[in-house]
Amino acid sequence: MAKPVILAIDDDPQVLGSVAQDLRRQYGAAYRVVRASSGPEALEALRQLEERGEPVALLLSDHHMPQMDGVEFLQRSRELYPGAKRVLLTAYADTEAAVRAINRARLDHYLMKPWDPPEQHLYPVLDDLLADWQAAYRPPFEGVRLVGHRWSPRTHHLKDFLARNHVPYRWLDLETHPEAPALAGTSRLPLVVLPDGQRLEEPTPVELAQAVGLKTQADRRFYDLVIVGGGPAGLAAAVYGASEGLRVVLVEREAPGGQAGTSSRIENYLGFPAGLSGGDLARRAVAQARKFGAEILNPAAVKGLRAEGQYRAVTLEDGSELSCHTVLVATGVSYRKLPVPGLERLAGAGVYYGAAITEAQACKDEDVYVVGGGNAAGQAAVYLSQFARRVVMLVRGAGLSQTMSRYLIDQIAGTPNIELRTCCQVAGVHGEGHLEAITLADAGTGTTERLPTSALFVFIGALPHTDWLGQSVLRDGRGFVLTGPDLPRGSWRLGRDPFLTETSLPGVFAAGDVRHESVKRVASAVGEGSITVQFVHRYLQAL
């Protein structure tokens, strides 16, 4: 396969030569650096690359150029290579135009000239962008292939599992892909075909994980810190704990990132003005945690917790145990099920809970519906609007201002194929084998309306994953874990006060969305996971 292309554009020959030289020195081994002296010339180069089927990873364009400025070029280039990363080179005086281009041209970053030394001002930015591109790029290859039916819940679950764990795969719909029937033969579906030809018929997520090289068994029998849950809080604790010398293992039942990992775009996270997907955030955090020596087990589900003197034991569903000094409960929350008759039989077959990313492309030229008025619902609606003909947001309340960030409300208002319907809810679902229509009820008029659709995405409420804790720690009436100052008087037996994120069982902590009265934001979850490591140190010092 040809090397992916990095395309540099500048009308100044001297600057263009300097850019190309810096790019080749750092990336020449893995990428082919192509130059263009104008926007039209660069567009023609992209057309030729597309005709030859060559991948383009990065576009690095100057802003001020005759005929076509850099923002216009980057905007028009999306028609040819929508997945390429886009960087604008600009002078200090043009930073305002560059910030506006973040939304207009879907700019990933802007750099001010001069960028010397490139080791400090150019390469770190491009390294991150190219790593993101590599993570999302799906080249034609004979790697993992998944064969199944679009409306099969088991197939949907495996697609979601592979995508969220960043395992490159090729999806072959048995009904539409020409290669699928011959490859499937008489095999039981869903079928996974590995690069070496091994065939897995109806595999479980654990069997698939083991086959593709994910880690499902712990290396040690004893740890300083066992983290249950791989969302932002758990991943932050893994990074900080391992970087400070603790023996850390993180246990995740599905895929690192948790509910946040399914977000198609997070734009209000500090330090990422162009935004990033929840999957990208999780991938970076996993790489950091592993770099410092943290173990990450997934998929691996936890079924119990018990205390043995000053030690704690976490029991996994396969019967194995992880012994440790401390435990962090960071299992997060899941979306609440819609109380609609017959809806659960269509889960994974047109009804999806937060799975916007894996199913979005299948919704091309269709009308789809999103239930919910929070940030996750807004992010999904904006992402789905790039594929669907029309996205209808269904909100029980009178508007979005009380539940959604302003930047998302503005994006939704500015997206012509997103429609907002307030004071309504789903009253019925219809379909044999897969979703075919929904019935909406208007809370104001009491009228109902049946509408055809094949996709309903649900983003409502939050239920904590805490049943496995049993009576070991105190929880509130909804199952959220009580910590620190929220513990009832008389429930704490030690001479010291409990730490801020410590539960009723000393040495067991809770962070993120699973904690009682926590702020349901990615940044706050990361903060809670990080500061818990300091409490772990103080707890260990007192043993």
Side-chain angles (χ1 to χ4, degrees):
M1 188 183 71
K3 289 181 181 179
V5 169
I6 296 175
L7 178 58
I9 308 99
D10 200 302
D11 64 311
D12 186 324
Q14 185 174 355
V15 174
L16 183 60
S18 179
V19 172
Q21 182 179 10
D22 286 341
L23 292 174
R24 289 195 180 99
R25 184 169 67 247
Q26 181 73 1
Y27 304 110
Y31 297 87
R32 183 162 70 94
V33 177
V34 176
R35 303 191 296 181
S37 59
S38 69
E41 181 184 333
L43 286 176
E44 180 57 31
L46 289 180
R47 293 188 187 97
Q48 294 178 13
L49 291 168
E50 184 190 37
E51 289 176 1
R52 296 196 295 266
E54 295 189 44
V56 174
L58 177 73
L59 305 173
L60 185 65
S61 176
D62 185 39
H63 178 40
H64 282 297
M65 295 186 295
Q67 298 178 278
M68 181 187 300
D69 67 27
V71 173
E72 182 182 355
F73 161 72
L74 292 174
Q75 191 172 14
R76 292 180 60 178
S77 69
R78 290 188 59 82
E79 300 172 8
L80 297 166
Y81 283 93
K85 297 298 179 181
R86 289 164 172 76
V87 178
L88 189 69
L89 290 175
T90 173
Y92 179 79
D94 297 320
T95 54
E96 186 176 339
V99 171
R100 289 197 301 268
I102 289 176
N103 289 327
R104 177 183 160 195
R106 301 290 175 86
L107 191 67
D108 293 290
H109 213 285
Y110 67 88
L111 293 169
M112 287 183 285
K113 297 185 289 185
W115 57 87
D116 289 331
E119 290 77 11
Q120 294 182 23
H121 302 301
L122 180 66
Y123 298 152
V125 171
L126 300 190
D127 286 348
D128 271 351
L129 292 176
L130 291 171
D132 287 348
W133 180 83
Q134 287 284 1
Y137 177 54
R138 299 293 180 264
F141 72 114
E142 291 299 318
V144 175
R145 288 171 288 175
L146 173 60
V147 184
H149 296 281
R150 176 186 175 186
W151 303 117
S152 162
R154 293 192 65 176
T155 300
H156 161 71
H157 189 52
L158 293 182
K159 286 168 60 181
D160 196 50
F161 177 81
L162 289 169
R164 291 183 61 194
N165 281 284
H166 304 284
V167 178
Y169 75 96
R170 188 179 177 195
W171 155 239
L172 285 71
D173 189 329
L174 190 66
E175 298 175 1
T176 61
H177 199 286
E179 298 177 25
L183 186 62
T186 58
S187 300
R188 300 188 309 276
L189 300 179
L191 169 71
V192 174
V193 182
L194 301 176
D196 61 3
Q198 180 184 356
R199 299 164 70 90
L200 305 177
E201 299 181 15
E202 298 181 322
T204 66
V206 172
E207 292 169 341
L208 180 55
Q210 293 170 342
V212 299
L214 296 180
K215 187 178 179 65
T216 60
Q217 300 291 325
D219 291 338
R220 297 185 176 100
R221 295 183 61 85
F222 190 87
Y223 294 86
D224 296 312
L225 173 61
V226 172
I227 301 169
V228 184
L235 288 169
V239 169
Y240 281 91
S243 70
E244 294 171 11
L246 297 179
R247 293 167 294 178
V248 176
V249 62
L250 183 150
V251 183
E252 166 56 44
R253 66 192 182 107
E254 293 179 353
Q259 189 184 99
T262 67
S263 295
S264 54
R265 204 73 182 165
I266 304 170
E267 295 193 56
N268 59 352
Y269 191 70
L270 183 66
F272 293 88
L276 78 168
S277 71
D280 285 342
L281 182 63
R283 176 183 56 78
R284 293 171 184 230
V286 167
Q288 274 184 300
R290 286 180 172 152
K291 179 183 76 171
F292 292 123
E295 292 181 45
I296 297 179
L297 310 183
N298 77 288
V302 172
K303 70 175 184 179
L305 168 69
R306 73 176 190 277
E308 295 181 338
Q310 65 179 4
Y311 303 112
R312 307 289 175 257
V314 174
T315 306
L316 305 184
E317 281 193 345
D318 64 4
S320 62
E321 284 193 346
L322 300 172
S323 296
C324 58
H325 284 304
T326 62
V327 175
L328 172 61
V329 180
T331 44
V333 295
S334 61
Y335 294 112
R336 197 171 68 242
K337 308 300 183 184
L338 272 178
V340 177
L343 184 136
E344 281 310 298
R345 67 182 174 83
L346 297 176
V351 175
Y352 307 106
Y353 289 92
I357 295 177
T358 54
E359 299 299 332
Q361 294 189 17
C363 299
K364 184 175 176 60
D365 299 326
E366 298 180 359
D367 291 349
V368 304
Y369 292 79
V370 175
V371 181
N375 278 6
Q379 290 160 356
V382 171
Y383 182 74
L384 287 164
S385 70
Q386 300 177 53
F387 305 92
R389 176 176 55 211
R390 185 171 64 119
V391 180
V392 183
M393 295 192 68
L394 308 175
V395 182
R396 293 182 61 181
L400 299 173
S401 60
Q402 300 299 313
T403 56
M404 187 179 293
S405 296
R406 171 50 59 181
Y407 81 91
L408 273 173
I409 295 174
D410 293 341
Q411 282 189 20
I412 289 168
T415 305
N417 63 331
I418 296 180
E419 176 186 331
L420 178 64
R421 295 190 60 168
T422 59
C423 301
C424 71
Q425 58 186 356
V426 178
V429 293
H430 316 279
E432 294 297 326
H434 67 88
L435 182 67
E436 298 175 16
I438 60 174
T439 295
L440 299 184
D442 189 297
T445 64
T447 59
T448 61
E449 181 182 9
R450 179 166 170 155
L451 300 166
T453 186
S454 60
L456 178 70
F457 298 92
V458 181
F459 298 84
I460 61 167
L463 295 174
H465 296 294
T466 56
D467 289 346
W468 61 278
L469 289 169
Q471 303 300 313
S472 59
V473 302
L474 293 179
R475 295 174 284 161
D476 66 16
R478 295 181 298 161
F480 290 92
V481 179
L482 298 169
T483 61
D486 293 321
L487 290 172
R489 183 172 298 177
S491 64
W492 184 254
R493 302 300 183 184
L494 296 187
R496 63 169 175 85
D497 290 334
F499 298 120
L500 179 64
T501 60
E502 195 168 16
T503 71
S504 58
L505 178 57
V508 176
F509 302 84
D513 290 357
V514 75
R515 195 173 65 83
H516 172 73
E517 295 296 335
S518 65
V519 178
K520 304 299 187 287
R521 288 289 186 269
V522 173
S524 62
V526 169
E528 290 185 16
S530 303
I531 65 171
T532 295
V533 172
Q534 300 307 308
F535 301 143
V536 168
H537 281 300
R538 292 167 64 181
Y539 177 85
L540 293 177
Q541 289 167 4
L543 289 179

